[in-house]
């Protein structure tokens, strides 16, 4: 049940993120100024890329925790059981979502 809920939660956040990116100029004009400045200053461009990819990390944690468990989780024991289960990736998803919302709120 939790897996289905988080999958649809990630899907909702993905749709909202796409609509957010399409109207980024009107929603966050200060962010667009920083984005235009990124062509002149290299570190600003790195920050812009970081801020724009944080919600995608959150969406990936919600929609595909099994894939992240298989790829990124260390395994232990004779059965090579994954150490970091789906619950860990859900927590990482919520934390990255909160951080990304906080970062976007800086540009309002």
């Amino acid at each position: 049940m939790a897996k289905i809920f988080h999958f649809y939660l990630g899907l909702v956040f993905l749709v909202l993120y796409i609509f957010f990116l399409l109207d980024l100029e009107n929603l966050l004009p200060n962010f667009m100024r920083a984005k235009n400045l990124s062509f002149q200053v290299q570190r600003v461009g790195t920050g812009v890329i970081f801020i724009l990819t944080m919600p995608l990390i959150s969406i990936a944690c919600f929609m595909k925790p099994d894939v992240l468990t298989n790829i990124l989780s260390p395994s232990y024991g004779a059965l090579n059981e994954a150490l970091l289960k789906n619950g860990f990736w859900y927590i990482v998803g919520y934390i990255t979502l909160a951080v990304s919302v906080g970062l976007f709120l800086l540009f309002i």
Side-chain angles (χ1 to χ4, degrees):
M1 183 71 174
K3 189 173 185 178
I4 294 171
F5 170 75
H6 283 98
F7 178 79
Y8 285 119
L9 183 67
L11 196 62
V12 167
F13 285 140
L14 180 64
V15 170
L16 289 174
Y17 183 64
I18 290 171
F19 285 131
F20 181 75
L21 285 180
L22 291 175
D23 199 25
L24 192 61
E25 206 168 300
N26 292 330
L27 294 174
L28 300 174
N30 293 332
F31 184 76
M32 292 305 290
R33 279 189 226 125
K35 185 178 168 190
N36 293 336
L37 183 67
S38 68
F39 294 113
Q40 300 167 357
V41 182
Q42 184 179 6
R43 291 185 182 194
V44 173
T46 305
V48 166
I49 291 171
F50 178 75
I51 290 172
L52 289 176
T53 56
M54 284 292 288
L56 295 176
I57 294 170
S58 174
I59 291 167
C61 288
F62 289 140
M63 294 183 75
K64 295 292 183 178
D66 295 331
V67 175
L68 294 173
T69 298
N70 291 336
I71 294 173
L72 298 175
S73 178
S75 57
Y76 67 95
L79 298 176
N80 285 334
E81 188 174 350
L83 185 62
L84 305 174
K85 306 281 185 192
N86 290 352
F88 173 79
W89 297 111
Y90 294 145
I91 291 171
V92 169
Y94 284 117
I95 290 171
T96 56
L97 182 67
V99 169
S100 62
V101 167
L103 287 173
F104 280 122
L105 285 176
L106 290 174
F107 292 100
I108 289 182

